[in-house]
């Protein structure tokens, strides 16, 4: 089966790509190949208690589909509902082919064509072809989360659970719970599990910046009461984009001041009884992602004594809990390993270009949307310092601009190529969080200079992806006539 564009993945990015392709390239055929049986990606996979966004829905939602719920920080089911309704409203759901895991993609320059090998959920093999392949497959392994492993785990008599594989109807009522981790998942789980658990301890090796934020955005709701939906959504979105850019800039320019400000706010939320050292990281704000907690729910749970934080390292597991390096023991009935994700570039598919295998760890990322020396191949990767969807929307717009440009000029292939000897791969990850460090070898690199450098800046990307020249001298185009001659 042939399509002009094949999109891999039906999460936020794939649904957004579908919308932009329909709206901006109406003459093109496309399909979305999704390994799972449902759309939504992350927001369908994760089922742990309290699962929610930590960015506001005016920016995590699409530019083209207003978020009209009163909560700006939404829970997982509400986000999934929004994604389902968006896919249905624009007929994108009819373009999704479920139960189709892409395992291999092979580019032929002679035919200017991708051949895509798929394994279906009932074990069949299928072959699809397309002119352009757009990866919207996220950034982590769906099969399992990251689990470092500790001595003696097998001895533990209670239950060990990873948030990525949360057991259905898991009852932890009355249990003493230890949550290992200090990232977004841990700070969500801890207050959520205090609903029925006897007590919840967050056990962290090192602290993270945690910032309380109102779950409701009064300005956005005020706009929604007075203005048409799309106008209100657009204004709320821009307000939040600009505020986020402003705070990020301040934090990077005056790191010590930002650090002290965040710690002061944490102390004010926690009250004088709680030691704020548990919320005083060794790094500066935005070296790693900040954790936002709606209405300070984590701080409140600690203040009320329903939860506490321990900063220490695990020595080993025992029958009844964990033994810490300090010599202390934590008793637990349930241990949740909120230890993160395993990075996985390009949905784990094996990519070849004219028979040569691509090692993504050796590629350079062009504008954060394509890769060096891989023709007609895009991928969607959101921001690390702002909502994912902001970059996903821009990426899809760029894909459509590129396709329309190639059509107008009669080009069959577009390949970013680095010909500037001064531009070299820069292995610095966008954040120094554990999962980026663990994935450093396998993930694509940014370059030392534009258009290969990633600025993590929406305004800059908007100018570059929406308005910048498509024919910028870095993307090399192959005329259609050349391809037809070769393949004839
Ligand atoms: C718990 C959690 C909370 C988060 N909270 C936020 C937040 O608040 N704000 C924010 O901006 N970001 C957040 N993120 C990041 C989040 O992943 C993005 O916001 C967004 O959901 C990513 O969407 P996506 O469509 O690009 O990828 P995903 O949601 O990961 O979807 C990828 C889809 O591709 C499919 N797929 C993968 N490989 C293949 C293959 N080989 N063949 C076929 N299909 C394939 C998967 O099955 C999946 O459906 C969070 C992430 C997690 C894990």
């Amino acid at each position: 089966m042939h399509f002009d564009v094949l999109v891999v993945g039906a999460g936020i990015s794939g649904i957004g790509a579908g919308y932009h392709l329909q709206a901006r390239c109406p003459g093109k055929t496309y399909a979305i190949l999704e390994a799972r049986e449902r759309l939504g990606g992350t927001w369908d996979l994760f089922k742990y208690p309290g699962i929610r966004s930590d960015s506001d829905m005016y920016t995590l939602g699409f530019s083209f589909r207003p978020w009209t719920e009163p909560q700006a920080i939404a829970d997982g089911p509400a986000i999934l509902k929004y994604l389902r309704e968006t896919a249905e409203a624009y007929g994108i759901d009819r373009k999704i082919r479920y139960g189709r895991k892409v395992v291999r993609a092979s580019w032929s320059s002679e035919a200017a064509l991708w051949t895509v090998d798929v394994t279906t959920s009932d074990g069949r093999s299928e072959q699809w072809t397309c002119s352009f392949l757009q990866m919207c497959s996220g950034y982590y392994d769906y099969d399992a989360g990251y689990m470092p492993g500790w001595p003696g785990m097998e001895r533990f008599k209670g239950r060990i659970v990873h948030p990525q594989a949360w057991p259905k109807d898991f009852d932890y009522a009355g249990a003493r719970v230890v949550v290992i981790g200090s990232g977004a998942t841990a700070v969500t789980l801890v207050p959520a599990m205090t609903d029925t658990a006897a007590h919840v301890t967050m056990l962290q090796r090192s602290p993270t910046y945690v910032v309380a934020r109102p779950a409701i955005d009064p300005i956005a709701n005020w706009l929604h009461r007075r203005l048409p939906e799309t106008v209100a959504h657009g204004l709320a979105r821009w307000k939040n984009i600009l505020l986020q850019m402003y705070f990020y800039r301040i934090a990077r320019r005056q790191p010590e001041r930002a650090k002290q400000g965040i710690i002061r706010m944490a102390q004010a939320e926690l009250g004088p009884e709680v030691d704020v050292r548990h919320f005083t990281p060794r790094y500066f704000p935005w070296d790693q992602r900040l954790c936002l907690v709606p209405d300070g729910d984590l701080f409140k749970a600690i203040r009320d004594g329903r939860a506490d934080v321990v900063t220490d390292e695990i020595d080993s597991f025992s029958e009844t809990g964990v033994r810490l390096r300090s010599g202390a023991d934590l008793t637990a009935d349930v241990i949740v390993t909120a230890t993160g994700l395993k990075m996985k570039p390009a949905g784990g598919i094996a990519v070849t270009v004219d028979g040569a295998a691509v090692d993504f760890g050796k590629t350079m990322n062009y504008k954060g949307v394509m890769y060096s020396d891989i023709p007609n191949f895009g991928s969607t990767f959101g921001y690390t310092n702002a909502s994912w969807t902001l970059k996903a929307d821009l990426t899809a717009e760029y894909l459509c601009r590129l396709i329309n440009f190639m059509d107008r000029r009669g080009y069959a292939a577009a390949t970013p190529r680095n010909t500037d000897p001064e531009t070299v791969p820069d292995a610095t990850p966008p954040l120094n969080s554990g999962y980026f460090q663990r994935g450093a070898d396998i993930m694509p690199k940014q370059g030392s200079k534009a258009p290969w450098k990633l600025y993590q800046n929406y305004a800059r990307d908007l100018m570059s992806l929406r308005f910048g020249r498509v024919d910028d001298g870095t993307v090399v185009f192959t005329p259609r006539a050349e391809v037809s001659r070769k393949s004839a």
Side-chain angles (χ1 to χ4, degrees), residues 173-372:
R176 289 159 302 177
V177 179
V178 171
V179 176
I180 303 172
S182 60
T185 301
V187 304
T188 302
L189 269 165
V190 169
M193 291 185 80
T194 60
D195 60 349
T196 57
H199 185 79
V200 185
T201 297
M202 183 164 107
L203 171 58
Q204 57 180 15
R205 197 167 48 181
S206 57
T208 301
Y209 289 105
V210 182
V211 178
R213 179 174 181 172
I216 287 179
D217 180 339
I219 299 178
N221 287 348
W222 185 87
L223 290 168
H224 271 283
R225 281 197 300 277
R226 281 166 181 78
L227 296 170
E229 267 179 7
T230 44
V231 181
H233 180 71
L235 289 173
R237 187 176 169 89
W238 267 109
K239 170 185 79 71
N240 289 352
I241 289 171
L242 295 172
L243 277 177
Q244 177 279 327
M245 283 172 60
Y246 172 74
F247 287 124
Y248 180 74
R249 208 181 159 93
I250 297 226
R252 301 313 278 172
R253 293 208 163 167
Q254 299 177 27
E256 189 55 43
R257 211 174 131 202
K259 176 176 180 160
Q260 295 310 326
I262 295 173
I263 294 166
R264 256 198 316 278
M265 286 193 297
Q267 182 76 80
E269 291 273 345
L270 289 163
E273 306 294 306
V274 183
D275 190 345
V276 82
R277 271 183 303 177
H278 296 302
F279 294 93
T280 308
R282 291 191 285 251
Y283 55 85
F284 284 119
W286 285 116
D287 286 347
Q288 296 185 18
R289 210 178 157 113
L290 301 193
C291 286
L292 298 175
V293 289
D295 298 329
D297 58 1
L298 172 72
F299 296 129
K300 190 165 186 312
I302 296 169
R303 210 169 56 220
D304 296 351
R306 289 175 286 132
D308 65 352
V309 189
V310 172
T311 307
D312 205 330
E313 285 194 42
I314 296 174
D315 174 72
S316 56
F317 277 45
S318 64
E319 285 191 2
T320 54
V322 273
R323 151 99 8 139
L324 304 174
R325 285 265 159 89
S326 62
D329 287 304
L330 287 180
T331 309
D333 306 303
V334 173
I335 297 179
V336 182
T337 53
T339 39
L341 308 163
K342 272 198 259 176
M343 298 291 267
K344 195 176 197 179
I349 66 174
V351 177
T352 61
V353 172
D354 296 325
V358 170
D359 175 352
F360 278 95
K362 298 214 159 52
T363 62
M364 246 181 5
N365 215 200
Y366 169 78
K367 292 191 175 188
V369 297
M370 290 178 82
Y371 299 100
S372 50

Side-chain angles (χ1 to χ4, degrees), residues 9 11-13 34-36 41-43 53-55 102 142 347 387-388:
I12 289 183
S13 305
E34 169 53 58
R36 307 176 72 238
T42 298
W43 302 103
S53 68
D54 63 1
S55 29
V102 176
Y142 266 65
S387 282
W388 182 274

Side-chain angles (χ1 to χ4, degrees), residues 8-15 33-36 38-43 46 48 51-56 60 79 83 100-103 135-140 142 184-185 289 341 344 346-349 380-383 386-389 392:
V8 181
I12 289 183
S13 305
I15 294 167
L33 301 177
E34 169 53 58
R36 307 176 72 238
R38 291 177 303 278
L39 59 74
T42 298
W43 302 103
F46 280 86
Y48 60 76
I51 169 79
R52 55 167 159 75
S53 68
D54 63 1
S55 29
D56 70 275
L60 188 61
I79 301 172
L83 292 176
R100 287 184 164 78
K101 182 171 187 157
V102 176
V103 290
M135 299 304 300
C136 292
S137 45
Y139 58 98
Y140 62 87
Y142 266 65
T185 301
R289 210 178 157 113
L341 308 163
K344 195 176 197 179
I349 66 174
T380 305
F381 202 100
Y383 292 119
S387 282
W388 182 274
T389 316

